[in-house]
Amino acid sequence: MKTVTQRELAARSKAVPDDVEAGEIYRITRAGAEIAGIRPIDNRRRFVPVAELRRGWRGDPAVEAARMRAEAEADAFHGDEDRVGGAPRGHA
C-alpha cells in the first residue's frame, strides 16, 4: 500500500491509476490526514483469448438449438399465451 498527498496525486494523475490497475492500493492524504483510498475494482473484466475459452469449454455438451427450442415451447412454465398479441398459441 502506498500513500500519496493530494498534491502528489494531482501531479501523478496518469501513473497512480496505472499502478492501481496493476493491483496497487493507494491512500490519499491532505494536511497529513488520510482522506481517501484508491483500490482496484474486484469485478474488473479482463480480456480472455478465444483459445482459452475453447479450452475451458472442451468437454462441455454441445448446445442443440432446435431441441432446446422445442423443449421450451412444450414447457408449461412458459405458458401458452402469445407474447405480443395475448392470444393463446395456435388460436388466432
Side-chain angles (χ1 to χ4, degrees):
M1 184 178 326
K2 295 182 179 179
T3 301
V4 295
T5 66
Q6 180 181 2
R7 183 170 292 185
E8 289 170 331
L9 177 62
R12 300 183 56 215
S13 63
K14 166 88 172 86
V16 170
D18 289 345
D19 289 350
V20 171
E21 188 174 31
E24 189 65 60
I25 298 172
Y26 277 84
R27 294 205 181 236
I28 314 303
T29 62
R30 180 190 297 154
E34 288 184 359
I35 59 168
I38 302 175
R39 62 174 180 78
I41 295 174
D42 295 337
N43 62 354
R44 200 169 50 111
R45 291 183 180 182
R46 70 175 183 94
F47 174 77
V48 179
V50 172
E52 185 177 333
L53 291 172
R54 286 186 178 142
R55 279 192 304 274
W57 293 333
R58 207 172 277 150
D60 287 354
V63 174
E64 299 174 33
R67 180 177 166 201
M68 186 170 68
R69 191 176 301 110
E71 288 176 2
E73 288 175 357
D75 188 351
F77 175 78
H78 295 287
D80 63 353
E81 287 127 14
D82 184 351
R83 300 283 186 229
V84 176
R89 287 188 197 137
H91 302 87

